[in-house]
Amino acid sequence: MGAPRRWRPGLVALGVAGAIACAGGVAWTVGNAGERQPVLSVVRPVAAGEVIEARDVGVVRLGVDDATQLVLAGHRDAVIGRRAVVPLVSGQLLAPGQLGDAAGFPPDGQALVVVGVEPGMLPAGLAQGQRIAVVPGALPGGRETADAGADAKVPDPVLGVVNAVGRSESASGKGAVTVLVDAGAVRRVAQMSDPRVAVLSSSVKAVS
């Protein structure tokens, strides 16, 4: 049996790294250049396909060089009642391409999978838009991966981007993390025993 593939931090998921940008999870970067104009920002997370309500958007004044890339505050009434084509993250500026009549998410070749996580195993501060690795907490037969022998095949982690986080209201209940992953990895996640979630640093770029 060949040696298991090594997961090398520093190389992690190019496709997944770009996925959250497609999902509208990256806020616009604007400076003080250009005329300061009132534009719409997202003040409450909105899932892809959900109708945008008045309480979901606010107004900020920013200096922008090209206002056509953003939705001006004067168009607020036209935005209310439209659907989010992609997930909208609190704090981001609203762009015209993020609005439509139906969800265009998840992107082709990717899928959303819900990972149930044992109490106390959800990282503190885990939030939409973060890149994570889903790893098995136990091997078939109930052995912890940390206790696996040198010859045991430890499954590779599944890399993805957090789409939503649900924390249990009770100390004994499981939490749930909805993750955007490559479509081919859904089965691997489903077969994991006692999955754990690890937040990836910005230096992790790909898997080899």
Side-chain angles (χ1 to χ4, degrees), residues 38-41 43 52-60 71-82 94 99:
V39 296
L40 293 182
S41 67
V43 297
I52 298 173
E53 302 178 3
R55 61 179 181 171
D56 297 328
V57 295
V59 177
V60 295
V71 179
L72 297 179
H75 297 160
R76 189 173 187 273
D77 289 344
V79 167
I80 306 306
R82 301 290 301 279
L94 198 60
L99 310 173

Side-chain angles (χ1 to χ4, degrees), residues 11-87:
L11 294 176
V12 170
L14 297 177
V16 175
I20 201 62
C22 296
V26 179
W28 289 80
T29 301
V30 292
N32 293 322
E35 181 182 356
R36 295 184 69 83
Q37 299 189 56
V39 296
L40 293 182
S41 67
V42 179
V43 297
R44 288 164 44 93
V46 181
E50 285 189 351
V51 173
I52 298 173
E53 302 178 3
R55 61 179 181 171
D56 297 328
V57 295
V59 177
V60 295
R61 299 188 69 90
L62 295 173
V64 294
D65 292 324
D66 185 1
T68 63
Q69 300 296 315
L70 302 172
V71 179
L72 297 179
H75 297 160
R76 189 173 187 273
D77 289 344
V79 167
I80 306 306
R82 301 290 301 279
R83 292 188 182 275
V85 175
V86 296

Side-chain angles (χ1 to χ4, degrees), residues 180-200:
L180 180 70
V181 300
D182 287 340
V186 173
R187 182 184 295 272
R188 287 167 53 201
V189 175
Q191 293 175 338
M192 285 185 182
S193 178
D194 188 22
R196 312 288 175 90
V197 170
V199 178
L200 301 177

